[in-house]
Amino acid sequence: MIIAVDGPAAAGKGTLARRLAGTFGLPYLDTGLLYRAVGRRVLDAGADPRDVPAALAAARALQPADFTRADLRGPVADMAATAVAAIGDVRAELLEFQRRFGREHGAVLDGRDIGTVVFPTAEAKLFVTASAEERARRRHAELLARGITADYAQVLSEVRDRDAQDENRPVAPLRPAADAMLLDTTHLDADAAFTAAMALLAAKLSSHGA
Ligand code: C5P
């Protein structure tokens, strides 16, 4: 079984997807980490994350250790990930890894294009959103909790900028699949979002005969 969890930054996808994976006994893949790791490699090489050959070389060179780096989060890593993610050759390079991961034992995958591109035939697709202000509030609190000084207005502007880049890129833009179930978490905490997601999934999977 494949459960696709897509949506914009800081909508609560990761927390939800990890919890769903535990509940259904499925492996979990945070696909954003792949793009973050590529972005970091490009920065390490002293190149611009929008540079196609540099980003493609970084994607081809990925190693498991790249995913456990301590510097994959934060504004610089966010921007680099979003930039490399707009490059079609980079996405193509990462596609097979994601599909192989899901095919082995089934999986819950969170990202931007899981339901539209990576697993268009997933048994269940959730599109998790929240207002940009609420997502910025969460990201801001997360940064402060990690001891990173951040300005709310700046975080909000970065959230909006990443949304725009993810939604407007020509390849695999962020958008709900036609058969995705929408979950707006603006007024939901993590527990309430999980309960709402389980209700949506129960209805979907029972109609699937799962
Ligand atoms: O989900 P996360 O914020 O970690 O993703 C980082 C960036 O990677 C996103 O802004 C997006 O540009 C890109 N991404 C993507 N497709 C995915 C997952 C992430 O384009 N499936």
Side-chain angles (χ1 to χ4, degrees), residues 41 55-64 66 93:
R41 267 194 175 262
L56 184 57
R60 290 190 170 140
L62 279 183
Q63 299 293 326
D66 289 314
E93 187 67 30

Side-chain angles (χ1 to χ4, degrees), residues 31-32 35-36 73 81-82 85 91 111-113 162 166 169:
T31 65
Y35 296 94
R36 289 174 180 279
R73 309 254 165 220
T82 304
R91 303 196 73 85
R112 302 291 187 287
D113 63 338
R162 281 173 71 202
D166 287 344
R169 67 186 174 212

Side-chain angles (χ1 to χ4, degrees), residues 116-199:
T116 51
V117 174
V118 182
F119 284 107
T121 60
E123 279 76 7
K125 302 176 185 177
L126 289 167
F127 193 84
V128 184
T129 60
S131 70
E133 291 77 8
E134 174 59 17
R135 289 185 288 117
R137 193 194 60 73
R138 291 176 192 166
R139 182 51 55 90
H140 184 241
E142 201 180 293
L143 289 170
L144 293 186
R146 286 169 41 214
I148 301 170
T149 318
D151 171 49
Y152 171 81
Q154 175 73 24
V155 174
L156 177 59
S157 134
E158 283 168 8
V159 160
R160 289 204 168 115
D161 187 39
R162 281 173 71 202
D163 285 356
Q165 289 190 57
D166 287 344
E167 286 164 4
N168 297 320
R169 67 186 174 212
V171 49
L174 170 66
R175 60 175 174 79
D179 54 348
M181 300 177 287
L182 300 186
L183 178 58
D184 186 329
T185 70
T186 305
H187 303 294
L188 304 181
D189 65 13
D191 283 347
F194 174 72
T195 303
M198 285 301 285

Side-chain angles (χ1 to χ4, degrees), residues 6-125:
D6 289 307
K13 299 185 305 291
T15 306
L16 176 63
R18 197 171 289 110
R19 199 154 159 193
L20 291 175
T23 304
F24 287 95
L26 291 168
Y28 164 61
L29 183 64
D30 169 0
T31 65
L33 272 190
L34 304 177
Y35 296 94
R36 289 174 180 279
V38 173
R40 263 295 161 205
R41 267 194 175 262
V42 177
L43 294 176
D44 284 354
D48 183 329
R50 292 167 300 185
D51 177 333
V52 175
L56 184 57
R60 290 190 170 140
L62 279 183
Q63 299 293 326
D66 289 314
F67 306 123
T68 54
R69 292 176 60 147
D71 55 0
L72 296 179
R73 309 254 165 220
V76 174
D78 289 350
M79 292 305 176
T82 304
V84 299
I87 300 172
D89 287 346
V90 167
R91 303 196 73 85
E93 187 67 30
L94 300 179
L95 189 56
E96 191 46 36
F97 173 83
Q98 296 171 76
R99 289 191 171 149
R100 215 177 315 118
F101 183 95
R103 262 194 241 113
E104 269 178 30
H105 308 286
V108 179
L109 300 96
D110 86 56
R112 302 291 187 287
D113 63 338
I114 309 303
T116 51
V117 174
V118 182
F119 284 107
T121 60
E123 279 76 7
K125 302 176 185 177

